[in-house]
Amino acid sequence: MIFPQILIKSGIMGLVLYILITAFLVVAPYFEIEATKRTRYLFVEYLTKISRFSAVAISFILFGIIGSSLILYYSSSVLMRGFVTYDILYLALILLLSLLLASLILFHAKEKTLILMTWFSVVFIVFIAVSFFIIRDYTLSASEKSLPVQLALETLMTHITATNAPLTTQDIIKIILLGFSSLGLGYGFFMVMGTFLPKETDSRKVIGVGYLLNLFVGVVVTYIFVYSLAATFPRTALLYGQSGTVEALKFIKNIIGALIVAHSSEATKVLYLLVFSIYLAGMTTLIPLLEILGHIVSESTQSSRNRALSITLLMVLLLSLVFAVDTNNKMDVLSSIFRVSSIYGSSGDDTFDKKWRGFWSKC
C-alpha cells in the first residue's frame, strides 16, 4: 500500500533509496538468525539475554497480537468487499475462516513451518504475477477506448519511471519508515527460524531470497495498483501518490467499488484477482507473525506449542472482531493496549513473570 505510493510520487530515486535502506537493514536479521542458529537459544531466552529486560515477552506479544489483528481485519475486509457489501456477519465469518486456515498450517507444520510458508509464498507470487498480466491487459484494452484512461496510464508510468523526481524530507522519512516496517515484521520470524534451522544452512541465501522476493512483490504490486487506478479513476489516480494511509485504504475500496459497478466479465475477473492478491499478501504476513507469537507464549509460560497457539489465535480473533465492530475507534483500542504494555513492561523484574505465568495457568 505504501510502496506503490512511494514509486508514484518519487519514481526511481525513491526506489533506489528504499533499496539502499533495506539493504543496510537486512544485516540485522542475518546476525539474528545466525545467533539463534549457532547458540540454539530459544526466542524469549535470547531476547531476555540481549535486552536484560525480563518483561520483554509481553511487549512482543502485545505488538504481535495488534499487528496480526489489524492484518487479519483489513485483509478479510478487502476480500469481503469483493463479493458482498459490508456486513459484520460476513466479515466475522471470513475472519474465522482465515484463522482456521492459518491454524491448519501452523498446527500441522511444527518445524516444517518454513517449508509450508515457502510454498505459500510461491503460490502468492504466481498469483500476483498472473493478476498483473490480466489486469494490465484489461487496462490497456480500456485505454484504447477511453482517452482519460490512456492519459492517466501514461502519466502514472512516467511518474514511477522518472529519474529526476524531487525527494522531500517527508518522502525520505516515509521511505525509511517503509523500510523498517517491511523488514521489521520478518525479524522475529528469522530469529524463531534460527532455533530449528540446521547449522549447515546458509543464512545469507535464506535472507537474500527473502529480501529479493519482498522487493519483487513490491514492484509488481505497484504496477497492479497503477493499472487498477488508471482503469477505474483516471482523473484522480495521481492523488494516490499524495494520500496518507487512511486515504490509500479509501482508494482501494473505491477501486473495488468501481470494478463492481462496471458489470463486465473482464472487470469481475480483475476484481477477484485484486482482492485475492491483497488477501494472500495479508495471509503470508499473518502466518509468520502467529508462529512468532506461538513461540514467545510457549517459551515464556512453559506451555505446549499447541496450547500457546490456540490461545494466541483466540486473542487475535477477539481483537480483530473488536476492530470490525467498532471501526471508528481503533486508535482508542490500540492506545489502551499500549498503556497496559507500558504498565506491565516497566516492572522489569521477576514479579511480572510470576503474574504472567499465573494468569496463563488459569487459561
Side-chain angles (χ1 to χ4, degrees), residues 267-336:
T268 302
K269 188 186 297 183
V270 170
L271 169 67
Y272 292 157
L273 288 171
L274 183 62
V275 297
F276 272 113
S277 295
I278 296 173
Y279 178 74
L280 286 175
M283 290 299 291
T284 53
T285 306
L286 174 67
I287 294 173
L289 270 177
L290 292 174
E291 178 69 30
I292 297 167
L293 285 171
H295 273 264
I296 296 175
V297 172
S298 177
E299 293 165 19
S300 60
T301 61
Q302 301 300 307
S303 59
S304 67
R305 180 178 182 275
N306 285 353
R307 185 183 182 189
L309 278 173
S310 299
I311 302 300
T312 299
L313 289 166
L314 179 60
M315 289 190 291
V316 170
L317 176 62
L318 291 176
L319 187 55
S320 59
L321 287 174
V322 170
F323 291 150
V325 172
D326 196 3
T327 57
N328 296 321
N329 295 308
K330 292 186 183 66
M331 294 309 298
D332 293 338
V333 176
L334 296 180
S335 63
S336 299

Side-chain angles (χ1 to χ4, degrees), residues 16-87:
V16 170
L17 180 59
Y18 172 81
I19 292 174
L20 291 175
I21 291 171
T22 51
F24 175 76
L25 293 176
V26 84
V27 174
Y30 167 73
F31 284 111
E32 288 169 351
I33 193 173
E34 279 295 305
T36 50
K37 186 179 72 173
R38 185 176 61 255
T39 61
R40 292 301 174 184
Y41 275 122
L42 295 177
F43 185 80
V44 174
E45 184 183 10
Y46 179 73
L47 287 178
T48 304
K49 181 178 178 62
I50 63 175
S51 67
R52 299 179 182 178
F53 183 46
S54 61
V56 68
I58 188 63
S59 300
F60 273 79
I61 289 172
L62 291 178
F63 169 78
I65 290 173
I66 293 169
S68 301
S69 301
L70 286 172
I71 291 169
L72 177 63
Y73 166 74
Y74 283 117
S75 301
S76 301
S77 179
V78 168
L79 183 63
M80 180 197 65
R81 291 177 187 275
F83 296 91
V84 295
T85 56
Y86 186 87
D87 188 289

Side-chain angles (χ1 to χ4, degrees), residues 62-129:
L62 291 178
F63 169 78
I65 290 173
I66 293 169
S68 301
S69 301
L70 286 172
I71 291 169
L72 177 63
Y73 166 74
Y74 283 117
S75 301
S76 301
S77 179
V78 168
L79 183 63
M80 180 197 65
R81 291 177 187 275
F83 296 91
V84 295
T85 56
Y86 186 87
D87 188 289
I88 183 63
L89 293 179
Y90 286 120
L91 181 56
L93 178 61
I94 295 175
L95 290 172
L96 182 59
L97 291 176
S98 299
L99 278 185
L100 283 175
L101 172 63
S103 65
L104 285 174
I105 294 174
L106 291 168
F107 283 129
H108 289 85
K110 296 183 180 179
E111 284 77 14
K112 296 181 180 179
T113 302
L114 177 62
I115 298 174
L116 287 178
M117 280 306 306
T118 301
W119 282 109
F120 203 81
S121 300
V122 168
V123 171
F124 168 61
I125 290 170
V126 171
F127 192 87
I128 65 166

Side-chain angles (χ1 to χ4, degrees), residues 80-251:
M80 180 197 65
R81 291 177 187 275
F83 296 91
V84 295
T85 56
Y86 186 87
D87 188 289
I88 183 63
L89 293 179
Y90 286 120
L91 181 56
L93 178 61
I94 295 175
L95 290 172
L96 182 59
L97 291 176
S98 299
L99 278 185
L100 283 175
L101 172 63
S103 65
L104 285 174
I105 294 174
L106 291 168
F107 283 129
H108 289 85
K110 296 183 180 179
E111 284 77 14
K112 296 181 180 179
T113 302
L114 177 62
I115 298 174
L116 287 178
M117 280 306 306
T118 301
W119 282 109
F120 203 81
S121 300
V122 168
V123 171
F124 168 61
I125 290 170
V126 171
F127 192 87
I128 65 166
V130 173
S131 301
F132 163 75
F133 287 111
I134 293 177
I135 293 174
R136 184 197 63 175
D137 292 343
Y138 171 77
T139 305
L140 291 177
S141 176
S143 67
E144 295 175 356
K145 304 172 185 177
S146 171
L147 183 59
V149 174
Q150 182 181 354
L151 292 175
L153 185 58
E154 290 176 356
T155 305
L156 287 169
M157 287 297 182
T158 301
H159 273 70
I160 65 175
T161 57
T163 57
N164 57 349
L167 280 174
T168 65
T169 303
Q170 186 177 2
D171 294 334
I172 295 173
I173 292 174
K174 182 180 282 190
I175 293 171
I176 292 173
L177 291 176
L178 173 63
F180 274 97
S181 62
S182 62
L183 293 176
L185 292 176
Y187 280 2
F189 185 64
F190 284 127
M191 293 176 71
V192 169
M193 191 167 61
T195 63
F196 55 79
L197 271 182
K199 289 187 177 181
E200 61 272 13
T201 303
D202 191 339
S203 303
R204 288 173 294 185
K205 291 182 180 179
V206 174
I207 299 290
V209 171
Y211 174 76
L212 292 175
L213 288 178
N214 178 63
L215 186 62
F216 169 77
V217 169
V219 173
V220 173
V221 168
T222 297
Y223 277 94
I224 289 176
F225 266 89
V226 164
Y227 287 121
S228 301
L229 285 168
T232 53
F233 294 96
R235 301 184 190 279
T236 58
L238 279 178
L239 294 178
Y240 181 79
Q242 308 288 340
S243 61
T245 304
V246 176
E247 291 78 10
L249 289 171
K250 290 180 180 178
F251 262 100

